[in-house]
Amino acid sequence: MHTRTLGQGLQVPAIGYGCMGLSQSYLPVPTRQEGIALIRAAVDRGVTFFDTAEVYGPFANEEIVGEALAPVRDQVVIATKFGFAFDDDGQQTGLSSRPEHITAAVEGSLRRLGTGHIDLLYQHRVDPGVPIEDTAGAVRALIDAGKVGHFGMSEAAPRTIRRAHAVQPLTALQSEYSLWWRAPEAEIIPTLSELGIGFVPFSPLGKGFLTGTIDTTTTFEPGDFRNGIPRFTAGARAANQAMVDLLTRIAGRLDATPAQVALAWLLAQKPWIVPIPGTRKLARLEENLAAADLKLTATDLNEIETASAAITVQGARYPEAMERLIDR
C-alpha cells in the first residue's frame, strides 16, 4: 500500500478503513467475530489506518477495533473521536467538548481499545457551547501526557479550524468529500493546504451510491440510516444516477469499477487526502484498496470534471437534525 503524509508528519496508507459500519448505520451489521476478521484481513492487505469513535454503537465499535488490532497494535494508526455526551444507559444526549468530559471520554476509549495511547483523536463535532481554544487545550494536555498522539477535527468550519490549530496544531480534518459532495473545495481544502493539515474524507463512495450497486429499486433494511437521508429517496436516486453513469463509463475504459474511479479521483485531488471507505464485505475491501494503484490521467480527470459539472446532485446529504450539528 502506498503511504501518504497527513499534518504533523503522520504517515498512513493512501486508503484507510472506516469501521463505523461494523456496528451501526449500514444494515445488516456483521457479527463481532466477522467484524474482527474483516479488520484483520485489511491489515493483511496493507491497511494500517483505522477509524472508529466512541459514539459508534455506542462504544461497541471501539471494542471491536481494539480486539481486532491488539496483535498488531504497534504497527497501526488508530483514530477515534470524542464530542458527544451520554446518559447512564449509554444513549447519546447531545454534544459535549468540555475539557473534563474530553479527559473522561479518552479514558473510556483507551479502555475499550485496550491500548495506552490513541494515535489520532478527533473532535467529532464542534460544540458551540465550549470555546474551541478550551477543547484544543484539553487535547494538547492529553498529547503532553502521552495518551494522544495527534489532534483532529470533524466537520469543522475554516474559522474554527484556524482557532484550534493556533492552540494545538491539527493533523487532520475528517469531513465528507466525494464526487457527489464537493462543498469542501470552496474553503476547507484551501484552508487545510495553507495550514499543512491532512484531509480524511468519510463517505468517499457516497454511502455506497457511487459503487453503482444502488438504484431506484434498491431497498434498505429497516433501521438502515440511508432510509432517512434525503439524497436516497427514489427521486433523488434517479436523478443522481447520472454521476454513477459517468463513473461507469470511465471505469469501463480503465478496466476498473465505479468505486475505484471515485476513490482514485479523490486521491488525485491532493497528495495529503486519505479516504476511509467502509465496507462489511471482503470483496469490497479488496476492490477499494486496489484503487490506490489506479492512476487517472489528465484526460480522465478533465472528462470527470467537465461531465460532473453538468450534473446537479439532488437531495440533502443529511436529515435536518443532523445538519444542525455541522459547524458553519
Side-chain angles (χ1 to χ4, degrees):
M1 176 71 73
H2 309 286
T3 61
R4 292 193 162 202
T5 304
L6 300 174
Q8 317 313 313
L10 180 62
Q11 290 194 328
V12 294
I15 296 177
Y17 183 34
C19 300
M20 182 184 75
L22 299 180
S23 60
Q24 68 168 62
S25 299
Y26 300 94
L27 302 184
V29 297
T31 66
R32 183 186 181 94
Q33 289 308 309
E34 289 170 340
I36 289 170
L38 193 53
I39 291 173
R40 290 178 175 171
V43 173
D44 290 342
R45 287 155 178 79
V47 180
T48 57
F49 184 32
F50 295 87
D51 183 85
T52 182
E54 62 170 355
V55 77
Y56 298 161
F59 311 125
N61 202 269
E62 287 182 322
E63 294 175 350
I64 293 169
V65 171
E67 182 176 346
L69 295 177
V72 293
R73 177 64 188 95
D74 61 345
Q75 303 170 37
V76 299
V77 173
I78 298 178
T80 192
K81 311 176 192 72
F82 68 86
F84 289 98
F86 303 90
D87 62 21
D88 292 340
D89 295 322
Q91 298 302 305
Q92 178 188 326
T93 58
L95 297 173
S96 179
S97 284
R98 292 176 292 105
E100 63 271 23
H101 178 82
I102 296 171
T103 300
V106 165
E107 291 301 328
S109 291
L110 290 170
R111 183 179 65 255
R112 290 184 291 273
L113 289 166
T115 186
H117 72 284
I118 294 163
D119 300 294
L120 174 56
L121 180 68
Y122 292 103
Q123 182 188 36
H124 208 151
R125 292 292 185 270
V126 174
D127 183 350
V130 178
I132 195 61
E133 290 82 3
D134 292 355
T135 298
V139 175
R140 183 179 61 190
L142 290 164
I143 291 173
D144 291 343
K147 294 183 178 182
V148 172
H150 294 266
F151 179 33
M153 301 180 76
S154 181
E155 295 281 15
R159 66 182 184 282
T160 312
I161 293 170
R162 291 181 183 279
R163 289 169 55 196
H165 188 70
V167 175
Q168 171 58 48
L170 287 161
T171 290
L173 177 80
Q174 182 178 137
S175 292
E176 185 168 356
Y177 182 39
S178 71
L179 267 170
W180 81 337
W181 180 254
R182 298 181 63 171
E185 294 174 352
E187 296 183 73
I188 290 294
I189 289 179
T191 300
L192 302 182
S193 180
E194 175 191 340
L195 299 177
I197 301 169
F199 192 16
V200 179
F202 69 80
S203 294
L205 297 176
K207 300 175 177 62
F209 189 78
L210 298 181
T211 65
T213 60
I214 296 171
D215 58 25
T216 56
T217 67
T218 302
T219 58
F220 302 113
E221 289 201 11
D224 189 300
F225 85 136
R226 288 170 291 188
N227 285 316
I229 293 179
R231 193 160 288 192
F232 279 88
T233 63
R237 278 187 259 173
N240 297 335
Q241 181 63 35
M243 189 68 74
V244 176
D245 293 342
L246 166 61
L247 292 171
T248 301
R249 184 171 70 249
I250 302 291
R253 188 170 70 225
L254 300 177
D255 192 26
T257 67
Q260 289 169 342
V261 174
L263 290 171
W265 176 85
L266 270 175
L267 292 172
Q269 301 309 300
K270 297 291 181 183
W272 34 265
I273 288 178
V274 178
I276 49 168
T279 183
R280 297 160 291 159
K281 299 177 181 177
L282 179 59
R284 290 295 181 193
L285 171 67
E286 293 175 335
E287 176 185 350
N288 292 342
L289 298 183
D293 294 318
L294 179 62
K295 304 303 180 185
L296 300 177
T297 66
T299 299
D300 296 328
L301 292 168
N302 287 337
E303 181 179 348
I304 292 171
E305 187 66 30
T306 300
S308 63
I311 299 170
T312 300
V313 178
Q314 300 293 318
R317 66 175 180 137
Y318 283 136
E320 186 177 345
M322 292 182 66
E323 285 284 0
R324 287 197 292 269
L325 297 178
I326 306 301
D327 182 40
R328 305 298 182 188

